[in-house]
Amino acid sequence: MRKLLAIIVGLISLVIVALSASYAALHTKYAAQVVNIALEYAYQGDIQVREVHYSYQEPKHLQLDGVLLKNGDEEPILIEKMDIWLGKHAWIDNRLRIDNVLVDGLTLQNGWPKLGFSNYIQLNKLSIANIDFADNSWVGRDVNIQIKHPKKRDDRLLPFYGEIQLSAGQFYWQGEAINNLFLDGDITPEHSTFYDIRFQWRKGQFSAQATKKQSQKQWQLPRVTINGLRLQQNSLDNISQQSIDWFNQQAMAIDDLEVSNSSIEVPNFSVNNIKLTAEQLHLPFALWQQQNASIFATADTMSAFGQAIHSPALDINLQPNIANIQDVSLEMLQGNLHIQGKATPTGLDLSQLNINNMKWIPTAESKQLALDYLNHLQSLQAKMLTINNVQFIDLTTSPAKQATGLSIEGDNLEIKKQGHWGLWQGELSISANRASYDSVNSKNLLVTMRSEKGHFWLNKLFIPLENGLVKGSGEMAFSQKSQPWKLDVDASGIPLRFFSRWFDLPIHLDGITDFTVKGEGLYGDQLIFNHSVTGQLNASVTRATSDDDFQTLWLRNQGIKLPPLTPPQDPTTTDTEDKTAQVKPAKPKDKKVQSVTISDIHLVADRGRLSLKPFKIEGKDFSAHLGGEYDFLFPEKGNLQYRLEGECQALVFDLLSHKDSVLVENNCH
């Protein structure tokens, strides 16, 4: 099986000898015997022919049936039929000229045999029909090949130079079925050119043209069309990694790509009836390494993370490290989105972002994806931002957050610079018809701000509450190294539980808080902030409640499990009963919310040193006192004292230190 074409050429030569020496015998039943004698002389019995057919009417045509080729210990090759047509002038320039050789019916289970051609024969056309072919991961059924002016080349799959046409009913490669394959090309030592490539894969119809210089690795594809492709995850999982790696190693430059009537369905993403046109596309596809590629795509519907998307359209141009977004538009979440601008690997510069009437209830996964992308960006800009009448409901956190009738208007925005968030440039206004957080509702809130060359002003903070109002203003100079800032906030009707979540307080409280905050300082870095923060906070709490009693606080504040306080002893109780009563836990009681009073709170900050004026919390059976100092520069020197008092006992410790050093006082004798 190593010298198939050399043997074929040898056959042709010997047939010509037989024609010359025994021309008359070829018209009789002895034709096969004559040819076999010649073959025995030349190949020592390695080649045998079952029948030979020759006719006076076609003097330049010879047909051989049942040609058996032996090659040592390897499996013999049986050619069912071989037809030979000599040229009009059989012998020219000391070379035998053969117009065509047709080999029909051939099985090659170990790939192509080693090929060879004689310099004394000029073969104009070689046709091999009905080949069953196997070579490692390649398997072909009903393969037909025609080669004009064939010459040998070193290639396992197509070892011929020449003008080639190849067709196959089916090709298998790495388990992938390629149906109705057709190739029409010209392969020379200098280049490979395919004028027509057609096949079916995954129900898709593929057609292309391709050319490549033998000295280069990249294929040039003037045009590629794909129609009716269906890709699903279960079918993609069947593609071997070896196949994927091979494809990723094939460098291709596609001048014109057209995809139509195709669909993709994988976990968390699907697209139906996609239509895509692309120009100057380079494969393997790397988004940030394209050279002047343009992509325009539409689809009937899409789905991402369970969210339906209608009428998506994408029009982008790709340059190295730049994606120019000509237009992205889609309908989803009961609204629509429109984007224009430019993206880089670490930045997003939008000329226009419009979002209208959407209702977004993010899942934890979709929210995290959005946050991951935004946090990855080093810069984020938007020349014109319009978000109109959006509803946002975040159930991924507790408590939930909601805003309806949310509208955001922005002009010439720069909201992330060198990885740092902030309004570095532009004007921004945020409004909402309604907003709620932890059962606190607001109507007709409004926030306006602007920034010029890195100097930021919070012009207006106006949040009406059901029983209060938050308003404020502020400014910050982002562009200065020290980043000086000021803040002025006046709020009323704020639930005290909001602040309880921020601080690990030793007592559970709720109520309505009114407060004012005035502050200023520098925010260049943590050290500058710690050394500069100055201002004051004044707060009062009304309608305060707590579900704690002295016993609960006593246990919690010490961080240890103690038996509850024992009731007065019955004089008749024995010593044994008395000991048992001291360790027997009391039955749990339903917690009842009780009213407490809280004195006014005053906190002063002076260049990083905070002073909390002592204030008092009084409950039904306890009182608590808090006050002290804290230094941002030397936090270990801070002292925020907390004193809990009951009827006969008191507990004192520092909230800023470990609770190991708890001072317990017993005042009843």
Side-chain angles (χ1 to χ4, degrees):
M1 293 177 60
R2 297 298 178 186
K3 300 179 181 179
L4 175 61
L5 287 195
I7 292 173
I8 291 174
V9 171
L11 278 170
I12 297 169
S13 303
L14 289 171
V15 167
I16 300 305
V17 171
L19 284 170
S20 303
S22 306
Y23 180 76
L26 290 174
H27 302 84
T28 70
K29 63 181 180 178
Y30 301 106
Q33 183 177 355
V34 171
V35 172
N36 282 322
I37 291 173
L39 294 174
E40 174 70 25
Y41 175 79
Y43 291 101
Q44 292 77 44
D46 288 340
I47 303 176
Q48 295 180 358
V49 177
R50 186 176 64 247
E51 294 183 17
V52 176
H53 301 280
Y54 183 75
S55 170
Y56 289 118
Q57 286 77 19
E58 295 183 86
K60 297 186 180 296
H61 176 217
L62 182 69
Q63 179 178 317
L64 310 177
D65 291 345
V67 180
L68 184 66
L69 310 179
K70 300 178 182 180
N71 190 16
D73 297 332
E74 297 185 6
E75 290 290 329
I77 299 175
L78 176 63
I79 301 175
E80 296 180 6
K81 183 184 295 186
M82 180 184 295
D83 288 88
I84 303 169
W85 286 269
L86 298 177
K88 182 177 181 180
H89 302 286
W91 194 265
I92 299 178
D93 297 331
N94 296 321
R95 300 180 69 190
L96 177 64
R97 182 175 179 180
I98 302 174
D99 275 351
N100 188 15
V101 173
L102 171 61
V103 177
D104 190 352
L106 179 63
T107 299
L108 300 175
Q109 294 296 331
N110 296 295
W112 289 101
K114 186 177 292 185
L115 304 179
F117 290 89
S118 171
N119 292 328
Y120 297 101
I121 294 179
Q122 177 183 329
L123 179 59
N124 292 331
K125 183 178 179 181
L126 172 63
S127 302
I128 307 177
N130 300 316
I131 307 172
D132 286 341
F133 176 87
D135 184 8
N136 294 327
S137 57
W138 290 96
V139 177
R141 298 282 184 258
D142 298 326
V143 181
N144 299 282
I145 304 176
Q146 292 184 359
I147 311 109
K148 291 183 179 179
H149 313 297
K151 293 182 180 179
K152 172 188 173 184
R153 75 165 182 151
D154 294 327
D155 187 87
R156 293 181 62 89
L157 190 60
L158 203 58
F160 306 101
Y161 289 121
E163 299 177 29
I164 295 175
Q165 281 192 351
L166 181 148
S167 65
Q170 194 170 67
F171 246 107
Y172 282 95
W173 181 63
Q174 299 291 340
E176 288 298 309
I178 301 172
N179 298 317
N180 300 322
L181 174 65
F182 177 78
L183 301 175
D184 182 7
D186 187 5
I187 302 177
T188 72
E190 291 75 30
H191 65 82
S192 296
T193 300
F194 291 96
Y195 308 103
D196 191 5
I197 303 172
R198 282 176 279 142
F199 60 90
Q200 296 176 2
W201 179 73
R202 303 288 183 184
K203 298 183 179 179
Q205 302 281 347
F206 290 73
S207 66
Q209 299 87 40
T211 183
K212 180 178 77 69
K213 292 183 178 180
Q214 307 295 9
S215 60
Q216 298 177 346
K217 292 184 177 181
Q218 179 172 270
W219 284 92
Q220 298 289 331
L221 284 76
R223 182 170 176 79
V224 177
T225 63
I226 304 172
N227 181 55
L229 180 64
R230 301 290 184 266
L231 292 180
Q232 295 180 325
Q233 186 62 50
N234 57 354
S235 59
L236 290 174
D237 289 340
N238 294 330
I239 300 177
S240 69
Q241 187 60 46
Q242 184 178 357
S243 302
I244 296 172
D245 293 341
W246 177 88
F247 182 80
N248 288 334
Q249 294 171 2
Q250 307 307 307
M252 289 180 274
I254 303 176
D255 295 339
D256 187 0
L257 170 65
E258 182 176 337
V259 181
S260 60
N261 191 31
S262 298
S263 65
I264 300 172
E265 184 176 346
V266 296
N268 298 324
F269 179 80
S270 66
V271 57
N272 298 312
N273 195 23
I274 185 173
K275 297 178 181 178
L276 180 146
T277 59
E279 296 180 355
Q280 308 302 319
L281 198 64
H282 289 260
L283 298 180
F285 184 78
L287 177 64
W288 305 115
Q289 298 176 16
Q290 299 295 316
Q291 296 280 349
N292 196 32
S294 62
I295 301 174
F296 178 77
T298 63
D300 288 348
T301 60
M302 288 177 58
S303 176
F305 298 98
Q307 179 59 56
I309 302 172
H310 301 280
S311 304
L314 169 73
D315 186 0
I316 61 174
N317 176 267
L318 301 176
Q319 303 288 349
N321 293 318
I322 297 175
N324 293 302
I325 306 170
Q326 312 294 341
D327 182 69
V328 171
S329 62
L330 51 85
E331 298 175 4
M332 62 181 294
L333 302 169
Q334 304 177 27
N336 58 77
L337 175 145
H338 177 73
I339 297 175
Q340 292 180 333
K342 179 173 65 176
T344 67
T346 59
L348 190 59
D349 185 358
L350 301 178
S351 58
Q352 186 175 358
L353 170 60
N354 294 332
I355 300 175
N356 296 294
N357 304 315
M358 283 191 176
K359 180 179 180 180
W360 188 31
I361 306 176
T363 63
E365 188 173 17
S366 62
K367 178 181 174 181
Q368 191 59 48
L369 282 173
L371 291 176
D372 288 345
Y373 175 70
L374 292 175
N375 291 331
H376 165 75
L377 296 178
Q378 292 295 304
S379 64
L380 178 57
Q381 302 176 68
K383 187 175 183 180
M384 185 170 67
L385 170 66
T386 304
I387 299 176
N388 183 48
N389 194 32
V390 167
Q391 183 174 8
F392 173 73
I393 303 174
D394 187 359
L395 303 176
T396 64
T397 59
S398 181
K401 297 181 284 290
Q402 179 175 347
T404 58
L406 176 65
S407 296
I408 302 175
E409 298 286 340
D411 293 313
N412 299 313
L413 299 175
E414 184 176 13
I415 55 181
K416 196 171 188 183
K417 185 176 183 179
Q418 296 178 351
H420 299 288
W421 291 101
L423 185 59
W424 295 84
Q425 182 68 37
E427 296 185 5
L428 184 66
S429 67
I430 304 171
S431 64
N433 294 338
R434 291 178 179 271
S436 65
Y437 175 73
D438 198 9
S439 302
V440 176
N441 299 317
S442 173
K443 293 182 180 180
N444 302 319
L445 66 87
L446 176 64
V447 181
T448 63
M449 60 192 77
R450 67 184 179 91
S451 185
E452 184 175 349
K453 297 181 179 179
H455 196 117
F456 166 80
W457 291 271
L458 176 61
N459 295 330
K460 189 173 187 177
L461 173 65
F462 183 78
I463 306 177
L465 305 177
E466 290 180 334
N467 298 298
L469 174 67
V470 179
K471 60 181 181 179
S473 62
E475 65 178 290
M476 184 172 184
F478 289 110
S479 58
Q480 295 184 28
K481 186 176 181 180
S482 60
Q483 295 186 350
W485 61 272
K486 290 182 181 180
L487 181 65
D488 188 352
V489 176
D490 189 351
S492 61
I494 306 297
L496 183 59
R497 62 180 179 272
F498 286 3
F499 306 99
S500 299
R501 291 194 185 94
W502 299 345
F503 304 101
D504 185 17
L505 297 177
I507 183 171
H508 297 164
L509 297 170
D510 201 358
I512 301 299
T513 308
D514 301 337
F515 68 88
T516 60
V517 174
K518 294 181 181 294
E520 62 180 75
L522 305 174
Y523 197 67
D525 55 39
Q526 190 64 50
L527 181 61
I528 292 176
F529 175 82
N530 292 346
H531 193 71
S532 65
V533 60
T534 299
Q536 60 181 356
L537 177 148
N538 298 306
S540 61
V541 181
T542 58
R543 289 182 280 173
T545 61
S546 176
D547 58 8
D548 289 333
D549 55 21
F550 178 73
Q551 179 176 277
T552 303
L553 292 172
W554 176 269
L555 296 174
R556 183 195 307 136
N557 293 168
Q558 294 186 83
I560 56 176
K561 293 183 178 180
L562 294 176
L565 298 178
T566 59
Q569 296 181 11
D570 187 337
T572 62
T573 305
T574 63
D575 292 342
T576 304
E577 291 172 338
D578 180 55
K579 292 178 181 179
T580 304
Q582 292 181 17
V583 296
K584 183 178 179 180
K587 293 182 180 179
K589 299 178 180 179
D590 294 335
K591 289 189 175 182
K592 294 182 179 180
V593 175
Q594 59 177 324
S595 296
V596 299
T597 59
I598 304 175
S599 61
D600 290 347
I601 302 169
H602 302 282
L603 176 65
V604 177
D606 182 15
R607 297 183 180 277
R609 294 181 293 273
L610 275 64
S611 176
L612 177 64
K613 183 179 178 179
F615 68 96
K616 185 178 181 180
I617 304 171
E618 276 196 278
K620 183 177 181 180
D621 63 347
F622 70 89
S623 65
H625 307 262
L626 291 93
E629 296 181 347
Y630 180 80
D631 193 330
F632 280 115
L633 290 175
F634 305 101
E636 69 279 0
K637 296 182 179 180
N639 177 27
L640 182 58
Q641 191 178 70
Y642 168 72
R643 179 183 178 86
L644 172 68
E645 293 181 352
E647 182 178 355
C648 295
Q649 294 173 305
L651 181 147
V652 183
F653 61 86
D654 188 352
L655 288 175
L656 299 178
S657 63
H658 295 291
K659 297 180 181 180
D660 298 338
S661 57
V662 176
L663 176 62
V664 180
E665 299 177 358
N666 290 297
N667 301 320
C668 293
H669 301 283

